[in-house]
Amino acid sequence: MDLLVSPCSQLLTLLGNPSPRRGSCQGELSIIPDGAVLIEDETIKAIGPAKELEGRVAGTRPNRISAEGCVVMPGFVDSHSHPIFARSRHDEYELIIRGTRYQEIAESGGGILSSVRAVRETSKSRLLELSRTRLARFLEHGTTALEVKSGYGLDLENEIKLLEVVQDLQKATPLELIPTFLGAHEIPEEYRSRKRQYIELVTEQMIPVIAGRHLAEFCDCFVEPSIFSLEETEQVCISARSQGLKIRLHADQLSRSGAARLGVRLKAVSVDHLEQILPEDIQVLSKSATIATLLPGSVFHLGLNHYAPARALIDAGVPVALATDFNPGSSPTLNMQMILSIACAQMRMTPAEAIVATTINGAHALCRANRIGSLEPGKQADLCIMDVEDYRQIPYFFGMNHCKMTLKKGRIVYQRG
Ligand code: NIG
Ligand code: FE
């Protein structure tokens, strides 16, 4: 039976050019005021003014959801996250507030390595249980697709454990999960003085096994001179690509290494963070197909003020996506609405540009824009109903959850109250 979502105060369709939105198209929401969506099974059958769709279903008796006075939009596509971890790092949070730098914590054996120790000590079933609760929170906040990284195992057994958790979670949640192998996240303790050997382990053992078992679709590296250099990253990426994995990178987050430019050369689907990107690399990016995924949650949480140059990127014509980077060290939020607020207030993205960045451009950053990220006939019926009259109120009323209902493949997967 058909399902009619009608009426709503604004339907953000995100209809438009099939390529990633860049430049002046970055803010194209294609809004239908007083709109409606007609859904058949998992798929959007029609969108249009409520009056028109009401006329179309006259005589039939579709199921109905009213979104009166609300904004209806595509579910958020969160294209960068690290949600499978064993414990929170609130102790480090306090250290950071008191003035210790994120890098200092990492150098003294904390940071990512403290999450690695905890994951190694935690059973797969416990990780599953912890993660399941977190994934439910994503749906409650309107996210319907989520990239999920490994990277807290850093040995064959534990990286596989994390990616198997993702595989098992996918059987238990309607949230769409896209797995990324992040073995090159840090150098594990036992390889501290033998980085070469660790890279060999990643390229010669982990990547072939993980790609062979289809445990990941993408491969990511934390490119940072003190962690993985440009050359080392290239080795990992070449191995990953030869095994059929697509590339995405943590680039130019803490220092200006030229990682974004390397990403373009390696045909990365996305280069992420970019707080320190060089102005000349913005030009290189603008001439490529690589998407810039900005993660302002980490800058906010670490109490820093150097956000990625979103305006310069958009003005240069680089397609920009936004994601939570949900992780226990630098960005413990899973709320894409909060990311919209930070992007608008701190990076001067307009609310429309930011919404494009969290939906259709996020879908492009995960190579799924033919199926999700906008509300158009033929696409998957992934949408959320926001309890606001105008889309600008989503970032404006910040720090709260406006999501009233989330639909995944035409099915209600979250409903408030
Ligand atoms: O994207 N930069 C590396 N990875 C994460 C942080 C992970 C952590 O601190 O646990 C990031 O910020
Ligand atoms: Fe990250």
Side-chain angles (χ1 to χ4, degrees):
M1 194 188 293
D2 287 359
L3 171 64
L4 184 68
V5 181
S6 173
C8 66
S9 69
Q10 292 179 327
L11 176 67
L12 314 186
T13 68
L14 281 284
L15 210 76
N17 199 302
S19 48
R21 305 281 150 88
R22 49 173 92 220
S24 57
C25 298
Q26 176 82 44
E28 235 171 49
L29 293 178
S30 305
I31 300 175
I32 302 177
D34 300 315
V37 186
L38 183 63
I39 297 166
E40 184 179 17
D41 301 322
E42 299 186 356
T43 311
I44 297 169
K45 199 166 165 183
I47 51 165
K51 269 203 183 119
E52 200 180 298
L53 293 200
E54 293 285 358
R56 183 168 163 168
V57 300
T60 72
R61 297 164 118 244
N63 287 321
R64 284 176 169 275
I65 293 171
S66 168
E68 195 163 2
C70 295
V71 167
V72 174
M73 60 176 285
F76 291 116
V77 180
D78 188 347
S79 59
H80 182 136
S81 88
H82 312 244
I84 321 292
F85 54 86
R87 65 166 196 91
S88 114
R89 305 211 311 256
H90 49 270
D91 45 346
E92 294 180 1
Y93 178 52
E94 182 163 4
L95 290 176
I96 283 167
I97 292 165
R98 293 180 184 277
T100 312
R101 289 167 57 240
Y102 178 75
Q103 290 95 311
E104 288 174 72
I105 292 174
E107 280 153 20
S108 62
I112 293 170
L113 290 182
S114 93
S115 288
V116 170
R117 282 190 293 275
V119 159
R120 288 178 177 182
E121 284 165 10
T122 305
S123 70
K124 194 174 140 187
S125 61
R126 178 69 184 138
L127 282 170
L128 250 165
E129 189 181 313
L130 288 166
S131 313
R132 218 195 312 261
T133 320
R134 290 178 199 134
L135 298 191
R137 296 281 109 78
F138 279 93
L139 290 169
E140 286 167 20
H141 288 83
T143 298
T144 48
L146 177 70
E147 186 254 14
V148 175
K149 300 179 197 292
S150 66
Y152 292 132
L154 307 191
D155 60 26
L156 183 62
E157 180 195 335
N158 285 287
E159 283 296 302
I160 288 179
K161 179 169 86 181
L162 289 167
L163 292 167
E164 283 178 347
V165 168
V166 182
Q167 206 171 51
D168 290 355
L169 283 167
Q170 187 63 97
K171 293 175 200 143
T173 175
L175 180 62
E176 184 171 341
L177 306 175
I178 297 98
T180 293
F181 168 60
L182 178 56
H185 196 194
E186 238 306 2
I187 303 134
E189 247 141 18
E190 64 278 18
Y191 282 92
R192 267 314 195 196
S193 54
R194 307 180 285 141
K195 187 163 41 153
R196 262 243 55 77
Q197 273 106 303
Y198 184 62
I199 292 166
E200 274 170 30
L201 177 69
V202 170
T203 56
E204 288 167 25
Q205 291 191 46
M206 293 190 197
I207 289 175
V209 173
I210 284 159
R213 288 184 50 192
H214 302 289
L215 284 169
E217 180 173 332
F218 290 92
C219 176
D220 190 349
C221 292
F222 187 13
V223 195
E224 198 57 51
S226 59
I227 306 177
F228 296 101
S229 68
L230 297 181
E231 294 72 33
E232 290 158 347
T233 301
E234 187 161 355
Q235 283 172 38
V236 172
C237 292
I238 287 172
S239 159
R241 259 228 313 262
S242 76
Q243 300 283 330
L245 300 178
K246 290 173 277 199
I247 307 300
R248 48 200 324 110
L249 296 176
H250 280 73
D252 298 316
Q253 177 184 12
L254 305 172
S255 50
R256 300 188 148 200
S257 65
R261 181 186 297 244
L262 175 70
V264 169
R265 192 153 64 72
L266 295 171
K267 298 204 168 13
V269 175
S270 172
V271 286
D272 299 20
H273 275 289
L274 308 183
E275 286 88 342
Q276 312 293 336
I277 189 173
L278 294 160
E280 55 267 36
D281 287 0
I282 295 180
Q283 293 309 315
V284 174
L285 256 183
S286 73
K287 295 182 185 73
S288 79
T290 301
I291 291 170
T293 300
L294 309 184
L295 310 167
S298 67
V299 183
F300 175 82
H301 178 75
L302 296 175
L304 304 171
N305 48 29
H306 198 289
Y307 286 90
R311 281 264 55 93
L313 287 158
I314 292 170
D315 295 344
V318 178
V320 169
L322 285 164
T324 58
D325 193 13
F326 179 58
N327 77 74
S330 69
S331 188
T333 185
L334 45 72
N335 182 359
M336 286 289 261
Q337 300 164 60
M338 184 66 196
I339 298 303
L340 292 178
S341 299
I342 307 174
C344 293
Q346 302 300 320
M347 303 200 297
R348 304 282 154 186
M349 290 175 73
T350 66
E353 288 170 338
I355 288 176
V356 166
T358 53
T359 54
I360 189 69
N361 277 6
H364 279 290
L366 294 175
C367 306
R368 277 162 171 69
N370 58 340
R371 190 157 54 72
I372 57 175
S374 64
L375 302 179
E376 27 188 328
K379 275 197 162 182
Q380 203 165 289
D382 291 8
L383 54 89
C384 56
I385 300 178
M386 296 296 191
D387 198 4
V388 290
E389 295 171 342
D390 186 290
Y391 72 89
R392 289 168 290 196
Q393 292 173 330
I394 303 170
Y396 167 84
F397 288 112
F398 72 91
M400 42 195 291
N401 184 13
H402 301 289
C403 184
K404 240 174 104 164
M405 188 185 282
T406 309
L407 273 78
K408 178 71 184 174
K409 293 187 179 172
R411 221 164 51 75
I412 298 172
V413 291
Y414 164 69
Q415 186 164 15
R416 186 153 76 195

